[in-house]
Amino acid sequence: MLHAVIMAGGSGTRFWPQSRQNLPKQLLKLAGDRTMIQQTMDRCSGMIESGQFWVVTNSVQADQTRQQLPEIPPSNVLVEPAARNTAPCIGLAAVHLLHDDPDAIMFVMPADHVISPVAVFQQAAETAVRVVEQDPQRLVLFGVTPTFPATGYGYIERGAELAEVSGAFAVQSFREKPALNLATQYMDSGAFYWNCGIFCWKASTILDQLQANEPDTHGRLMQVAAVIGTDAYESVLNEQFPQMNSISIDFAVLERATTATVIEAPFTWDDVGSWLAVPRLAGTDDHGNTIDGTVVALETQGCIVRNTGSQLVATLGVEDLIIVSTDDVIMIARRDDSERVKEILEELRRRGMTQYLWWHLWRSDGIWLTDRRKAQARTQGLATLIAENLFQLSQVFIATNGSVSER
């Protein structure tokens, strides 16, 4: 049976201050009226039953993840006790799948990418499943045809086409994030793809590969597998998982495997890696600006302005800026410094100002409020607050009464 595994960790750095450690980008609406993790599930709708969806996340994001994906059984949201990269993450999902389904095929994907059109994505997924069904030892990846010489992605070199499935190729090699001149050569050759981090394989096969290449991690996963569904599960997971080698599935398995297979992705793909992705996804106005929220922009060119706070943001005579305003933070940066946002977070930690790394959320029977919104709810009532659409972080939940309780 086919199962979807959604990898949903993240530390909320790339889209700070909108994203925070307890509300990273996959839990936000950055491209459309559904959050990114909801869109990831939507993308597989009709192809995979809701009971065969699994999410691997962390403890601070688990509650929000379950709230945003109520169709998924709560027990299918797996909580990592520590961040250990994608090999232990996928291994943890694999042992759970095999506990329920010894013949499970895993379709693994990140929670925070934008892919379209859905029909083409599903056709490509079906091709990947056919490859695995015909040869259960195959480890299938999707490769995206480069549209520019990206230096921030890993590359997959295509080898010979498989005889049994058209459009699937043996992987000749993996190349890590290259310098610009190499990235240009890769793109011009036509034989390289971006590695977009979407995979398909048998759950038993990936565990066999982990046993061969990361035996210590595999042994610890087997200890976890032995107690799934018992009272000992949490304690064994909390003991064993943090001791697993923190390594990507690419380094742990794929770059060592002889059965790695790449399918050219026929869909459009964006990893939404920084604020610069927003104009690509949302478009721009006649002045090259991408504006969201209560904003007045005069003589403003090439700016990204996003306001989810209650105050007005006004700009005059500026260009090529990123301006993000929330209830508690206003960030202003040059567009070409979008990758340096994490430096602000590092400085906040150095100064002990860690309150700005988290959303301080308050629960009111299904709606999450920031501190300021909680105060407004007490004075205005939740019905007025919701009607005015003041809370814009995720806007996923519905309040059922006017009480506000601290979480």
Side-chain angles (χ1 to χ4, degrees):
M1 187 180 297
L2 181 61
H3 298 253
V5 176
I6 301 173
M7 298 182 290
S11 56
T13 58
R14 293 179 181 270
F15 283 84
W16 188 89
Q18 176 110 57
S19 65
R20 309 288 173 99
Q21 289 186 4
N22 55 336
L23 207 72
K25 66 175 178 173
Q26 72 263 18
L27 299 175
L28 300 177
K29 297 178 181 179
L30 294 174
D33 57 4
R34 298 268 283 169
T35 66
M36 300 191 75
I37 196 169
Q38 289 173 328
Q39 291 182 38
T40 301
M41 184 173 180
D42 294 345
R43 203 172 295 134
C44 298
S45 177
M47 183 177 73
I48 300 172
E49 296 294 327
S50 59
Q52 276 69 61
F53 276 86
W54 302 76
V55 180
V56 187
T57 187
N58 56 52
S59 59
V60 299
Q61 297 161 19
D63 284 349
Q64 278 273 8
T65 299
R66 291 189 181 101
Q67 290 277 359
Q68 291 200 14
L69 302 175
E71 307 93 334
I72 297 180
S75 59
N76 285 20
V77 177
L78 308 178
V79 180
E80 296 177 322
R84 306 311 293 159
N85 215 315
T86 55
C89 166
I90 289 170
L92 180 64
V95 298
H96 277 270
L97 267 62
L98 290 175
H99 182 265
D100 289 358
D101 177 8
D103 294 320
I105 295 175
M106 305 174 67
F107 193 78
V108 184
M109 59 202 128
D112 54 2
H113 292 179
V114 172
I115 293 171
S116 65
V118 169
V120 174
F121 171 81
Q122 291 193 358
Q123 290 169 5
E126 290 167 0
T127 300
V129 172
R130 279 203 310 275
V131 172
V132 172
E133 288 176 338
Q134 292 186 13
D135 183 352
Q137 297 306 309
R138 288 283 176 187
L139 304 171
V140 181
L141 307 86
F142 284 91
V144 174
T145 302
T147 55
F148 64 95
T151 59
Y153 300 146
Y155 285 73
I156 305 167
E157 183 181 11
R158 183 184 68 207
E161 187 172 15
L162 302 188
E164 55 269 30
V165 179
S166 175
F169 302 85
V171 172
Q172 182 71 24
S173 68
F174 291 89
R175 307 293 177 89
E176 284 312 300
K177 298 173 182 177
L180 180 60
N181 62 328
L182 275 179
T184 302
Q185 292 176 28
Y186 294 166
M187 185 179 72
D188 291 344
S189 75
F192 286 84
Y193 301 111
W194 290 333
N195 184 351
C196 65
I198 302 175
F199 313 114
C200 185
W201 45 56
K202 295 271 287 187
S204 57
T205 299
I206 200 66
L207 285 177
D208 289 344
Q209 289 286 338
L210 285 170
Q211 183 177 25
N213 295 296
E214 292 287 328
D216 182 74
T217 291
H218 179 268
R220 297 183 187 281
L221 286 168
M222 291 302 99
Q223 293 187 57
V224 174
V227 295
I228 292 174
T230 73
D231 292 341
Y233 174 77
E234 292 293 338
S235 61
V236 173
L237 178 68
N238 290 338
E239 177 185 358
Q240 296 299 325
F241 196 87
Q243 298 184 66
M244 296 180 194
N245 186 20
S246 181
I247 187 171
S248 71
I249 197 68
D250 305 76
F251 287 156
V253 171
L254 296 175
E255 295 190 10
R256 304 172 182 177
T258 60
T259 57
T261 305
V262 63
I263 294 174
E264 182 174 320
F267 44 80
T268 62
W269 169 83
D270 198 308
D271 72 337
V272 196
S274 75
W275 280 110
L276 294 186
V278 174
R280 293 198 300 268
L281 300 173
T284 60
D285 63 19
D286 293 341
H287 303 286
N289 300 311
T290 301
I291 294 174
D292 183 29
T294 307
V295 177
V296 173
L298 301 177
E299 298 178 22
T300 298
Q301 302 280 338
C303 289
I304 301 166
V305 188
R306 188 176 179 94
N307 179 16
T308 59
S310 56
Q311 71 277 17
L312 167 71
V313 172
T315 62
L316 174 64
V318 298
E319 60 184 28
D320 298 330
L321 295 178
I322 301 169
I323 302 170
V324 184
S325 176
T326 69
D327 278 342
D328 58 344
V329 173
I330 299 173
M331 184 198 75
I332 303 170
R334 294 191 302 267
R335 282 181 63 127
D336 56 10
D337 283 334
S338 64
E339 297 288 347
R340 298 180 59 198
V341 170
K342 62 184 179 181
E343 295 177 23
I344 300 175
L345 279 65
E346 292 167 359
E347 182 65 14
L348 291 173
R349 291 188 184 95
R350 190 186 70 80
R351 298 188 184 193
M353 301 170 69
T354 56
Q355 69 269 28
Y356 296 107
L357 305 181
W358 294 76
W359 277 116
H360 300 283
L361 300 176
W362 304 76
R363 176 77 181 275
S364 177
D365 292 344
I367 192 166
W368 295 89
L369 308 174
T370 60
D371 285 336
R372 183 180 300 176
R373 300 299 187 238
K374 185 190 74 167
Q376 288 176 323
R378 283 175 171 164
T379 57
Q380 297 175 233
L382 277 170
T384 302
L385 186 67
I386 296 166
E388 292 179 0
N389 198 24
L390 291 174
F391 180 63
Q392 299 178 25
L393 278 174
S394 60
Q395 298 173 280
V396 174
F397 312 113
I398 299 172
T400 57
N401 63 45
S403 63
V404 179
S405 57
E406 180 176 353
R407 178 178 182 268

